[in-house]
Amino acid sequence: MKKFIQGMYQKKNFGVRLTAVILSVIVMGFALSLLVLVDLGTDPCTSMNLAISEKIGMGIGNWQALLNTIIFVFVILLGRENIGFGTLANMFLVGYSLQFFSWVWDKILPAGFDSMAVRILVLIPALAIFVVSAAVYMDVKLGTAPYDAIAFIIAKWMPKVPFRLIRMAFDFTVIVIAFLFGGKIGIVTILM
């Protein structure tokens, strides 16, 4: 009975949940644009995507959409239970939002932030905004980003290994890839 009620609640509030997912991934892109501007690193996935997109000369929005689409094919085959409307929102809106807001900051703040004090004053709320928006995105349970789904798929194959270790190893691998492509690995990358 409890599952039935939860299912009814989820269906009843689907519009609210979908709106929350869309807004949260756009806000994640906004927060990431500030973290890029602060230049102390971003989350591992974004660090890798920024490094690769810069190296190949493709905008971050297009690169992230392309990579997510490739990973999405594997998620369909190996971890279909991770897919939802939130998956699609994350696949496309985070990268394009990051690119859009970075363009805005480039027009408004062409010099960026020179002062470490200003960088830290921007870093703290940007990091908080990113974490809260990511929590909202995850909490509505409308699917997982293709990048995040990989760790869940690996965990299915390795049930005796704690998920936390799988996720940390996966993120560390992505950080190495970012580094190899000349990406910015900073304190924020390590914290995330």
Side-chain angles (χ1 to χ4, degrees):
M1 183 67 168
K2 184 178 179 183
K3 284 192 176 213
F4 175 76
I5 292 171
Q6 286 175 336
M8 291 293 289
Y9 173 77
Q10 289 177 347
K11 289 178 186 174
K12 182 179 175 184
N13 291 309
F14 177 76
V16 172
R17 292 168 55 227
L18 183 60
T19 302
V21 161
I22 291 169
L23 290 176
S24 66
V25 295
I26 291 170
V27 171
M28 285 169 63
F30 168 78
L32 285 168
S33 72
L34 291 172
L35 292 173
V36 168
L37 196 60
V38 167
D39 198 31
L40 293 173
T42 64
D43 66 284
C45 180
T46 304
S47 293
M48 177 188 71
N49 283 331
L50 286 166
I52 294 172
S53 70
E54 188 173 311
K55 188 68 79 177
I56 64 174
M58 183 183 282
I60 183 66
N62 288 336
W63 167 251
Q64 195 155 317
L66 175 62
L67 180 62
N68 277 326
T69 302
I70 293 166
I71 296 171
F72 185 65
V73 171
F74 291 102
V75 175
I76 289 171
L77 298 172
L78 304 171
R80 191 170 289 149
E81 67 276 6
N82 295 296
I83 298 172
F85 287 102
T87 306
L88 298 174
N90 188 293
M91 283 175 66
F92 300 104
L93 293 178
V94 174
Y96 286 117
S97 297
L98 166 57
Q99 186 171 323
F100 170 75
F101 288 113
S102 293
W103 174 79
V104 169
W105 302 141
D106 190 46
K107 298 295 179 198
I108 296 172
L109 305 165
F113 300 126
D114 291 334
S115 163
M116 182 56 84
V118 172
R119 291 166 70 195
I120 291 173
L121 285 173
V122 173
L123 168 69
I124 294 169
L127 196 52
I129 290 168
F130 179 83
V131 169
V132 169
S133 61
V136 169
Y137 160 74
M138 291 180 227
D139 191 51
V140 296
K141 295 178 175 44
L142 282 179
T144 306
Y147 171 86
D148 295 322
I150 292 173
F152 289 115
I153 292 167
I154 294 168
K156 255 190 344 190
W157 295 339
M158 304 173 74
K160 294 185 181 191
V161 179
F163 178 76
R164 153 178 55 113
L165 293 178
I166 291 170
R167 181 59 194 242
M168 289 170 64
F170 181 64
D171 283 343
F172 180 75
T173 302
V174 169
I175 289 171
V176 169
I177 294 168
F179 178 77
L180 293 174
F181 276 89
K184 175 72 176 182
I185 308 301
I187 186 69
V188 174
T189 313
I190 304 305
L191 290 174
M192 287 201 188

